[in-house]
Amino acid sequence: MKIERITPYLVDRCLLVRVYTDAGLVGTGEAGLWAHHRLVYEALADLADYYVGRDPALIEHHYQAVSRDTHFGGPVLGAALSAIDIALWDILGKAVGRPVHQLLGGRCRDRVRVFAGVAGDSPGERADSARRAVERGYTSLRTTPFLPGWERRPPSAYIGAAVEIVRAIREAVGFEVDLGLEIHRNLGPDEAVVLARELAPFRILYYEDPVAPESLAALRYVARHVDIPIATGERCHSLFQFKELLDTGAVALIRPDLSLAGGFTQCRKIAALAEADFVGVFPHLMGGPVNLAAYVQFGAAIPNYALMESGSAALDEIVDAPLAAEGGYVAVPDRPGIGVELREDRLGKFPYRPHTIAPALRADGAIAH
């Protein structure tokens, strides 16, 4: 069996990839660099020159050949390689009639736990959103504890408002539901420490991306001064970055993006590194139903999986058997490959929506984050 062609599709806010073979098997993957999909689209065209005509089953070999050819890396190449890698595993699973999780060693669980996002423009709306999610069966919630326009207020004000949001959620759902906080890299190290200390009484499961990812020293500083477990890593695009991140000792949960950090081939190694440090894996899931299907295969196969996003149903019709959360979990399917088949005839209904740069500004006009 040989690869005949690789075709990318820009769909809504997603970049999907199809790898076609001369045996009639077609694999599907998704790229995860959501803000720069058009750059990844061009990278896929370049990479196709290597892959076409080669055996799709030599997945590790191909990853090593491409990633080490010139030692030029980065998130664009990482996302392109990841999408192809997922598609190659999909082909392999279809070729042998097995789901990807069986090729990775078999299921560690029958269903993967997911969280519900809590949203609203006031503490009361966040409380109502949390209550509704728990009524739907979710046992894990996540929110970003900032209200619209927060960046134009002084730190004491938005830190205080963040505490009130968390308090409202806890009063609505109690303390037997997990609650994580996505800080979105919005704070400086000292602000992150002050907020975390204020939040300590509310039993926070994780404090996600409290500071920007460029400085491991800043992350270590925050970890030394707070008592809330830190989750981070969604911007990392290589095994080696995750090794350095884990070596800080600052994280309780890592967030590899399967569609950015090397697909199944590399992310299973990242999970193994984390397992050796008793660090949980909290995959970062952006995109559509193709990514959800792939992530469920990955989450099923690793022992230190923790939880992840539940996905969005907005693009479900582009696959033949979309997965969905029920009672806070997504069941692991046993269909070959990643478990879904792309419906190419439906893609035209969802024109591409590129990311627009729209910076948030402080009250003085400076860039906020």
Side-chain angles (χ1 to χ4, degrees):
M1 183 164 53
K2 303 295 183 185
I3 296 171
E4 282 193 329
R5 70 182 190 276
I6 295 176
T7 304
Y9 297 90
L10 290 166
V11 180
D12 195 69
R13 296 189 66 194
C14 302
L15 174 54
L16 307 176
V17 176
R18 295 277 269 172
V19 177
Y20 301 83
T21 69
D22 60 1
L25 295 176
V26 184
T28 306
E30 185 168 345
L33 193 64
W34 59 267
H36 300 289
H37 279 328
R38 286 181 292 200
L39 298 178
V40 182
Y41 186 97
E42 295 300 326
L44 286 162
D46 281 349
L47 294 185
D49 290 340
Y50 165 80
Y51 283 98
V52 170
R54 298 183 187 272
D55 182 350
L58 300 179
I59 303 175
E60 177 74 53
H61 179 83
H62 295 324
Y63 189 93
Q64 296 295 328
V66 176
S67 66
R68 295 167 60 182
D69 178 57
T70 60
H71 295 276
F72 287 124
V76 172
L77 184 59
L81 279 169
S82 298
I84 294 173
D85 185 89
I86 293 168
L88 294 182
W89 281 94
D90 190 30
I91 290 170
L92 182 60
K94 292 172 179 176
V96 299
R98 300 286 185 177
V100 169
H101 69 258
Q102 289 190 5
L103 307 182
L104 296 174
R107 285 191 300 206
C108 293
R109 56 190 55 79
D110 298 323
R111 54 184 186 162
V112 297
R113 190 175 182 222
V114 295
F115 67 80
V118 173
D121 291 339
S122 70
E125 290 183 9
R126 300 287 179 100
D128 290 341
S129 176
R131 193 180 296 112
R132 290 193 298 271
V134 173
E135 290 171 353
R136 297 196 307 273
Y138 285 92
T139 59
S140 184
L141 309 175
R142 186 184 76 170
T143 197
T144 299
F146 305 110
L147 298 175
W150 68 270
E151 66 275 357
R152 301 186 67 82
R153 305 175 68 191
S156 292
Y158 57 70
I159 287 173
V163 173
E164 291 310 307
I165 289 171
V166 174
R167 187 191 312 278
I169 294 171
R170 273 294 181 219
E171 288 176 353
V173 302
F175 280 80
E176 294 188 5
V177 174
D178 288 338
L179 177 60
L181 300 180
E182 160 67 294
I183 306 303
H184 266 310
R185 302 158 295 278
N186 285 330
L187 301 178
D190 292 323
E191 292 172 313
V193 169
V194 171
L195 177 56
R197 288 177 174 175
E198 293 282 329
L199 294 172
F202 297 102
R203 196 181 299 165
I204 304 304
L205 183 67
Y206 55 85
Y207 199 46
E208 182 183 345
D209 286 335
V211 293
E214 287 82 6
S215 173
L216 293 180
L219 182 68
R220 282 193 295 265
Y221 172 83
V222 173
R224 284 198 305 269
H225 290 86
V226 305
D227 293 323
I228 300 175
I230 290 176
T232 193
E234 68 186 61
R235 294 293 185 262
C236 296
H237 51 80
S238 76
L239 171 71
F240 310 103
Q241 289 175 311
F242 277 100
K243 172 65 164 59
E244 292 179 349
L245 179 61
L246 288 163
D247 284 350
T248 67
V251 294
L253 295 165
I254 56 167
R255 302 220 64 201
D257 188 318
L258 192 70
S259 56
L260 176 66
F264 293 109
T265 297
Q266 293 297 86
C267 285
R268 61 178 178 165
K269 301 174 189 177
I270 292 166
L273 286 176
E275 182 185 359
D277 283 345
F278 295 100
V279 170
V281 176
F282 176 15
H284 175 255
L285 193 165
M286 287 286 288
V290 171
N291 254 358
L292 177 60
Y295 280 60
V296 167
Q297 297 292 322
F298 177 61
I302 59 172
N304 50 336
Y305 172 84
L307 73 164
M308 67 181 182
E309 286 88 347
S310 57
S312 168
L315 296 176
D316 275 358
E317 69 173 280
I318 70 171
V319 297
D320 64 341
L323 306 183
E326 293 184 11
Y329 291 85
V330 178
V332 180
D334 281 323
R335 296 179 72 190
I338 63 171
V340 299
E341 192 62 51
L342 193 68
R343 302 172 72 177
E344 294 183 18
D345 60 314
R346 304 297 176 91
L347 301 183
K349 296 179 62 175
F350 302 95
Y352 180 57
R353 295 190 294 138
H355 171 68
T356 300
I357 297 174
L361 302 177
R362 300 285 187 189
D364 63 359
I367 302 297
H369 53 80

